[in-house]
Amino acid sequence: MIVNLFLFKFALQFTGPPTVPPTIDAPDTVPPIRDVRSLSLTMDMEFEDAFNDENNNIHQMCLHSIRTQSRIHIPGLQSSELLAFRPGSTIVDFEITANTAIQDPDVEALLAGILNDLRIALPVIVDSDVELTPNPRTLFFQDTVTLTCGPPPEALNFTITSSVWTRDGVVINEDDQHIFSQANEVETLTITNFFSTDEGLYVCQLFDGFSSFRQSSNERIILSVTPTVQVLPRQNTILCEVGQQVSVQCFVQEPYQVVFQGVPNSESGNSIQQLITITQEDCDNQEIIITCQEIGFSQFASNTTLRLINDGEFTCVGDPEFGNGFLNEVGRASCEINEVGEKTAICNVSGEWENRDDNCTLQRIAQLLTQSEFLNETTLPEYLDDLSNATIELSDEVTPSPNNIEAIVTILNNVANFVTITVFTLSQASMEDVLLTVGVLTTDPAIESWNNLNLEAVTDSIDSRTVTPRNESVSSLLLFSLEGITRRLVNASFGIVTPLILLNKTTFINNFNGDFNSTVEIDIQEANGATNLTVITFESLDNVLPPRDENNSSGRVINGRVVLVQSDTIIDNVTFTFDIVNDSLGNPQCVFWNFSLFGGLGGWDDEGCELVVREDETVTCQCDHLTSFSMLMSPFVPNIDILSYITFIGVGISMASLVLCLLIETFILTRPRKDELSQLRNISVLNIALCLLIANIWFIIGSSISENNQKNRGACTAATYFIHFFYLALFFWMLNFAMFLLYHTVNVLTANLSKAVMLVIGFSVGYGTPLIIAGITIAVTAPSNTYIQENVICWLNWNQSKALLAFVIPALLIVFINIIILIVVLVKVVQSRGMRSNVQSDKKHVLVAVAQTLAVLTPFFGITWSLGVGTLINPSNIGIHIAFAFFNSLQGFFVLVFGTLLVKKVRTEILRPFLRLSQASSGSGTKITSAGTSSSGWQIFKKKGGNNLSSDFSSSSRVA
């Protein structure tokens, strides 16, 4: 009996031409002919030394058949001997000798006779001398392929009773993709979708009882790279002018070549260009479709469509990808070589193709995605190997592309569905391929792609409102798929180490403690008997999963390794000890990934998990269930009462001060004046106070939005924009203040600008420049969801887009410029001593007041926001937080004091009504005048005696 269907073959081995022995004694006599053939056959059974025993039954059967059939079929036979049995299944070597030349047809008849003798009792195989070849010979992805086996030689009188097809030694079972059919002693294998897992060496065996006829492909049948024919433009609309020439281009990857079908004198190559001349017939048809196709394989082609119009005005003109277009027209463009899909855009009123959508995917990844829908238990291991190889080899192209990442995640989800439905057990090698694939997707170069995918998921869920219970986001789907695949992992104890992911599978009884990669420790005190535990520790899954928690209200960061834990028994008490990645963060929260949060997008949830202790650089959590866990922490803000007191008291004083400042400055602005300089100073202070007050109001609104359980992203974006705008306006009005001082100091004798001109300049700088900066910032960062901070207070983003620099750089630059201006003014004052000046004293008083305000507020604002930057750089420094809270909360008070109340003319104007009332009641006719000197802190602007500029600056002036 035959247990295994091994190959049994006849192998013809020629010893050479007939041997002619030399003769010496009879040179004129023709020497006798002696021809020897060495032949062998292989039997489909394991070799045994006993076969070489002449008394062995198999030995005798083979020897008898060889001698009997040799006498029948070999003319001039002298001898036929069985030489030996040897391993290789079981190979029988024998030799025949004849006194005439042995002919090949006689050898074939001999072999057929031996087969007919032995095949009833022994498994023998006849090898075909015809190669097994596919139809078509050149194969492309998803081609339908046929392989035809047989027929066996007629001399064998072969009747097919069964058949076996193998690929690389693995038996091919019939399924929807592999179909067998028989007719006229021929069997055909039809592969309806030829994939990479179908590549290999094919062997067909047709059985007649024990014996078989074997046909082999001899060489591996492989897929050819599919040509990706791309045209440029894919479509274009042009004004029809007879005789006009339009250029079209076509590309394909090497070694393929393309040609424009039906175009006279079209050149060929892997990159070609053609000028198409417009005819009247084309104009009448209003469309030209030009086909570019691969020369040898015409099924691979791409069309470019030229739409011809007689009149009209294009909104978008001459785009290299999308060509011309009318308003709201959808344009289409081809992908790059080796990519499939298309690009689309909409012609906007701005004249640009906007809302560009790139749906291009690498051809190899797209093919693997299609193939994932046709998996079976035989092909899955090889498929996962192909997937990991492709992902690693193409990592530079995969990680920057959300489309490629999403395609691979969909593949993994298809794999998870397959192993779950079929109850397929995944081997250690296959699981390693999965982890290698996932590892590439979690690397740092993929962060931007994941940000875009997570943003798109949030946007789609808001727009559609048709979210299913889970797995709507790609990031959540990746984790869900990995959990599904892990549940089908083979039951054995082993570990897998990849560059970014560590897997440990073990069996324990009652309790377990393990330290994984020195970053996560897991402790299970009680289990329900023998338990198979799988732990996967991720180095960088925080690049994939957004740090949103169930409240979405605070600035959270995934600050520990993400760990996936699964068991085949119920475990309701597990302790995790996470190493803290960034020790500058505080407020740890123990969480697991809940797939149902946020309408199916998924998020971190702390239900069933609690913080046990934070000690040194670790956080210990206890949970009552198993799934995927990690630790969230927020930017460290010292939670001490003094900060709250400073903030609340300071903000109250600041807001009240700003309101009072606005009232005073508005009152002063309504008073009659004789000089324009006082009015300009007054307007500047008024706008500084107004901008700071509005900015503080929006800051309070933004804080309330941030503290809401469901953070409104649109409202937070609006609050951030206005905070950014008005804080910038504050600094640019400070710049106006400084430029005002500089202009009237260095041009003190020739100041010719009118008040109207200076107001236009002031308002343009004070509000126009912040409007441009704030507008550009939100336009650049909002589409990529990097304008505001994720899950933090409503303020400009820092981690992803560095949008905060759009405030910090202008603010600190203005502080620097103002300090330079103050130095220049100081030098000018010093240099002007001893020089005559005819400048009016009241104008000089205004300049002194401006200088006083700038000299205090400029460093004050500079220090305040420098401390603000310091809280980002060193968030755990309590002293910096206290200092920032103090300076920031009292900005309004400083504006009131140093911008308004310390200006003597303002004080005089405020007191004037009261003094008049007092004089009227006392009957005094004393005339009110302003004092003659500035405050003692400004002695550098004063010099006793003389009429020079310095003394004039310190002289008294009357309120205009």
Side-chain angles (χ1 to χ4, degrees):
M1 296 295 296
I2 301 169
V3 178
N4 298 313
L5 296 177
F6 294 99
L7 300 183
F8 175 80
K9 67 178 182 179
F10 288 106
L12 304 180
Q13 298 180 352
F14 294 89
T15 59
T19 303
V20 181
T23 178
I24 299 176
D25 298 334
D28 295 332
T29 304
V30 177
I33 296 176
R34 185 171 181 271
D35 192 3
V36 178
R37 293 285 186 101
S38 295
L39 307 173
S40 65
L41 58 90
T42 300
M43 293 186 296
D44 185 16
M45 60 178 64
E46 293 185 7
F47 171 75
E48 297 179 11
D49 289 333
F51 293 158
N52 284 308
D53 185 351
E54 294 181 355
N55 295 321
N56 182 272
N57 184 47
I58 292 178
H59 186 109
Q60 291 180 353
M61 289 174 59
C62 293
L63 178 60
H64 179 269
S65 178
I66 290 170
R67 287 179 173 175
T68 300
Q69 295 299 325
S70 296
R71 286 194 296 269
I72 296 172
H73 298 290
I74 304 300
L77 178 70
Q78 292 183 334
S79 65
S80 55
E81 299 295 334
L82 190 157
L83 302 178
F85 289 79
R86 57 185 173 88
S89 294
T90 297
I91 300 176
V92 183
D93 295 322
F94 62 98
E95 184 180 81
I96 55 175
T97 306
N99 56 18
T100 61
I102 301 175
Q103 304 297 319
D104 289 344
D106 297 333
V107 172
E108 293 178 5
L110 167 65
L111 296 176
I114 296 175
L115 173 63
N116 289 325
D117 277 351
L118 299 178
R119 69 181 184 178
I120 297 176
L122 296 175
V124 293
I125 301 175
V126 175
D127 270 329
S128 172
D129 56 0
V130 178
E131 181 180 357
L132 190 64
T133 58
N135 182 30
R137 295 297 296 266
T138 302
L139 305 181
F140 295 104
F141 183 78
Q142 273 194 294
D143 272 355
T144 297
V145 181
T146 59
L147 293 99
T148 301
C149 181
E154 292 183 5
L156 295 179
N157 297 319
F158 209 88
T159 301
I160 300 177
T161 58
S162 62
S163 63
V164 173
W165 289 76
T166 61
R167 182 183 62 84
D168 292 336
V170 178
V171 175
I172 302 173
N173 296 315
E174 187 168 17
D175 54 33
D176 292 341
Q177 308 302 313
H178 304 83
I179 301 171
F180 303 107
S181 59
Q182 286 185 14
N184 301 322
E185 302 302 321
V186 171
E187 178 153 302
T188 301
L189 167 62
T190 302
I191 305 175
T192 56
N193 288 284
F194 198 92
F195 297 127
S196 59
T197 50
D198 291 310
E199 294 181 322
L201 181 67
Y202 281 77
V203 176
C204 163
Q205 283 185 268
L206 304 179
F207 287 88
D208 182 0
F210 285 120
S211 304
S212 63
F213 168 80
R214 187 179 68 184
Q215 195 170 351
S216 173
S217 62
N218 296 333
E219 295 182 355
R220 289 179 60 83
I221 298 176
I222 61 173
L223 277 175
S224 298
V225 176
T226 302
T228 53
V229 180
Q230 307 285 11
V231 290
L232 183 68
R234 187 163 186 170
Q235 69 178 32
N236 194 12
T237 304
I238 58 177
L239 290 174
C240 189
E241 297 179 5
V242 176
Q244 177 185 3
Q245 290 188 319
V246 181
S247 175
V248 293
Q249 301 176 59
C250 186
F251 312 89
V252 72
Q253 72 268 46
E254 293 183 346
Y256 299 108
Q257 293 190 336
V258 287
V259 65
F260 286 109
Q261 181 186 27
V263 176
N265 303 320
S266 172
E267 61 181 3
S268 61
N270 66 329
S271 177
I272 60 176
Q273 184 173 359
Q274 186 73 33
L275 291 176
I276 305 298
T277 302
I278 306 299
T279 66
Q280 184 59 51
E281 182 181 358
D282 296 329
C283 293
D284 295 338
N285 293 332
Q286 298 183 337
E287 186 177 73
I288 303 177
I289 299 177
I290 304 168
T291 300
C292 179
Q293 64 183 29
E294 209 284 326
I295 293 178
F297 305 96
S298 59
Q299 69 268 35
F300 300 107
S302 184
N303 295 334
T304 176
T305 302
L306 302 179
R307 292 183 291 182
L308 308 176
I309 61 173
N310 295 321
D311 53 34
E313 184 175 351
F314 295 117
T315 304
C316 301
V317 180
D319 187 270
E321 280 190 303
F322 297 97
N324 305 323
F326 295 106
L327 181 63
N328 296 326
E329 181 180 354
V330 177
R332 304 183 186 279
S334 297
C335 300
E336 302 297 326
I337 293 180
N338 292 323
E339 291 183 338
V340 296
E342 68 175 6
K343 301 175 184 178
T344 60
I346 298 176
C347 181
N348 201 289
V349 67
S350 64
E352 300 293 332
W353 290 95
E354 299 179 354
N355 298 326
R356 299 194 177 211
D357 191 9
D358 186 340
N359 295 312
C360 300
T361 306
L362 287 170
Q363 181 190 67
R364 189 172 176 187
I365 300 300
Q367 290 178 347
L368 286 169
L369 175 58
T370 301
Q371 190 174 347
S372 68
E373 299 174 359
F374 299 91
L375 297 174
N376 58 54
E377 296 182 3
T378 302
T379 61
L380 181 61
E382 186 175 352
Y383 172 81
L384 292 176
D385 182 59
D386 289 346
L387 176 63
S388 65
N389 290 336
T391 306
I392 294 172
E393 292 170 10
L394 300 172
S395 60
D396 291 341
E397 291 82 14
V398 167
T399 51
S401 168
N403 293 334
N404 289 320
I405 289 179
E406 184 172 5
I408 294 175
V409 172
T410 304
I411 289 171
L412 293 173
N413 184 54
N414 290 341
V415 171
N417 291 335
F418 171 78
V419 299
T420 301
I421 293 173
T422 60
V423 197
F424 180 83
T425 300
L426 210 64
S427 68
Q428 178 180 344
S430 293
M431 190 66 197
E432 183 173 358
D433 288 327
V434 171
L435 297 182
L436 287 170
T437 301
V438 175
V440 172
L441 302 186
T442 66
T443 55
D444 289 346
I447 291 177
E448 184 175 353
S449 295
W450 282 111
N451 289 339
N452 292 335
L453 288 169
N454 289 326
L455 170 61
E456 181 181 351
V458 172
T459 303
D460 290 345
S461 68
I462 293 175
D463 293 341
S464 64
R465 303 293 182 184
T466 57
V467 182
T468 55
R470 65 183 181 190
N471 307 329
E472 286 302 309
S473 68
V474 180
S475 55
S476 191
L477 182 59
L478 174 62
L479 183 59
F480 181 76
S481 302
L482 196 56
E483 288 188 2
I485 292 173
T486 305
R487 277 191 287 268
R488 299 306 311 155
L489 191 56
V490 62
N491 282 332
S493 294
F494 57 86
I496 299 175
V497 179
T498 67
L500 292 174
I501 303 175
L502 171 69
L503 181 144
N504 181 275
K505 187 172 178 63
T506 187
T507 300
F508 70 93
I509 300 176
N510 296 331
N511 59 76
F512 171 83
N513 181 270
D515 187 358
F516 300 96
N517 204 27
S518 302
T519 58
V520 180
E521 182 179 350
I522 298 178
D523 184 54
I524 301 173
Q525 293 298 325
E526 296 182 4
N528 298 320
T531 300
N532 291 302
L533 185 72
T534 304
V535 180
I536 303 179
T537 308
F538 299 91
E539 178 79 16
S540 53
L541 198 62
D542 56 312
N543 292 338
V544 176
L545 299 173
R548 54 177 177 250
D549 61 12
E550 69 273 19
N551 294 322
N552 200 23
S553 60
S554 60
R556 296 287 182 176
V557 176
I558 302 175
N559 203 27
R561 298 286 181 254
V562 178
V563 56
L564 188 160
V565 186
Q566 288 183 346
S567 71
D568 58 357
T569 62
I570 297 176
I571 295 177
D572 54 14
N573 191 346
V574 57
T575 301
F576 301 91
T577 300
F578 296 95
D579 282 2
I580 296 175
V581 177
N582 183 354
D583 58 8
S584 67
L585 302 178
N587 305 319
Q589 180 184 7
C590 302
V591 291
F592 71 97
W593 187 260
N594 187 338
F595 293 100
S596 62
L597 284 183
F598 300 102
L601 296 180
W604 296 102
D605 192 352
D606 62 356
E607 184 177 353
C609 292
E610 62 179 358
L611 175 67
V612 177
V613 64
R614 175 177 180 175
E615 184 178 2
D616 297 328
E617 296 181 354
T618 63
V619 169
T620 301
C621 304
Q622 190 171 31
C623 299
D624 60 9
H625 59 279
L626 294 184
T627 182
S628 298
F629 298 90
S630 191
M631 169 185 57
L632 294 181
M633 299 183 74
S634 59
F636 186 82
V637 178
N639 187 19
I640 53 179
D641 293 337
I642 190 173
L643 281 179
S644 299
Y645 293 144
I646 291 175
T647 300
F648 287 122
I649 295 173
V651 167
I653 295 174
S654 181
M655 299 283 283
S657 299
L658 289 171
V659 172
L660 182 59
C661 179
L662 288 172
L663 292 175
I664 293 173
E665 293 295 341
T666 303
F667 171 74
I668 297 298
L669 188 63
T670 61
R671 304 298 294 169
R673 299 172 181 274
K674 293 182 180 179
D675 66 274
E676 297 175 349
L677 301 181
S678 294
Q679 294 183 17
L680 293 173
R681 185 215 67 81
N682 176 236
I683 291 172
S684 298
V685 174
L686 187 67
N687 280 280
I688 289 173
L690 181 64
C691 291
L692 183 56
L693 178 62
I694 297 176
N696 285 340
I697 293 173
W698 275 106
F699 185 82
I700 293 173
I701 295 173
S703 298
S704 64
I705 294 172
S706 300
E707 293 174 0
N708 190 9
N709 286 339
Q710 292 297 326
K711 179 176 174 181
N712 188 318
R713 187 174 189 86
C716 189
T717 299
T720 301
Y721 173 80
F722 286 114
I723 294 170
H724 184 203
F725 172 76
F726 282 106
Y727 271 134
L728 279 179
L730 163 69
F731 277 95
F732 276 97
W733 273 106
M734 289 291 296
L735 179 63
N736 281 336
F737 227 32
M739 299 302 295
F740 167 77
L741 174 65
L742 177 65
Y743 179 79
H744 286 281
T745 300
V746 300
N747 296 287
V748 74
L749 296 176
T750 59
N752 297 319
L753 291 178
S754 66
K755 184 181 76 170
V757 173
M758 296 188 71
L759 284 177
V760 170
I761 295 174
F763 277 90
S764 298
V765 173
Y767 293 112
T769 308
L771 183 64
I772 294 173
I773 295 175
I776 292 176
T777 304
I778 192 172
V780 171
T781 59
S784 60
N785 196 34
T786 55
Y787 179 62
I788 62 174
Q789 300 188 47
E790 276 290 342
N791 302 325
V792 194
I793 60 172
C794 295
W795 188 223
L796 297 171
N797 186 286
W798 172 253
N799 293 325
Q800 286 81 32
S801 65
K802 301 294 186 290
L804 183 59
L805 293 177
F807 170 72
V808 173
I809 292 178
L812 297 184
L813 184 62
I814 289 173
V815 170
F816 175 75
I817 293 173
N818 285 5
I819 292 174
I820 296 298
I821 290 176
L822 283 171
I823 294 174
V824 171
V825 170
L826 178 62
V827 172
K828 181 67 177 176
V829 169
V830 172
Q831 290 177 347
S832 66
R833 289 185 177 185
M835 298 175 59
R836 300 287 300 176
S837 175
N838 295 322
V839 179
Q840 297 176 5
S841 60
D842 56 349
K843 294 183 179 180
K844 298 169 189 173
H845 179 83
V846 176
L847 296 179
V848 172
V850 174
Q852 287 177 317
T853 303
L854 280 176
V856 175
L857 294 185
T858 293
F860 177 77
F861 287 141
I863 291 172
T864 299
W865 290 103
S866 295
L867 290 170
V869 175
T871 60
L872 293 176
I873 297 175
N874 189 8
S876 61
N877 191 311
I878 298 177
I880 293 179
H881 280 275
I882 294 176
F884 176 69
F886 175 77
F887 281 92
N888 187 47
S889 63
L890 294 180
Q891 287 182 102
F893 176 74
F894 272 65
V895 171
L896 172 65
V897 173
F898 294 100
T900 298
L901 297 182
L902 288 184
V903 179
K904 195 159 191 176
K905 295 172 66 176
V906 173
R907 296 200 305 272
T908 301
E909 194 69 18
I910 294 173
L911 294 174
R912 184 181 297 275
F914 299 100
L915 291 175
R916 285 177 176 173
L917 181 62
S918 175
Q919 292 168 2
S921 62
S922 63
S924 173
T926 305
K927 186 177 181 179
I928 301 173
T929 60
S930 60
T933 59
S934 59
S935 62
S936 60
W938 297 93
Q939 297 301 318
I940 193 166
F941 290 103
K942 297 173 14 176
K943 181 178 180 182
K944 293 181 180 180
N947 273 331
N948 54 53
L949 179 63
S950 177
S951 63
D952 286 341
F953 263 31
S954 61
S955 64
S956 62
S957 60
R958 203 175 89 205
V959 176

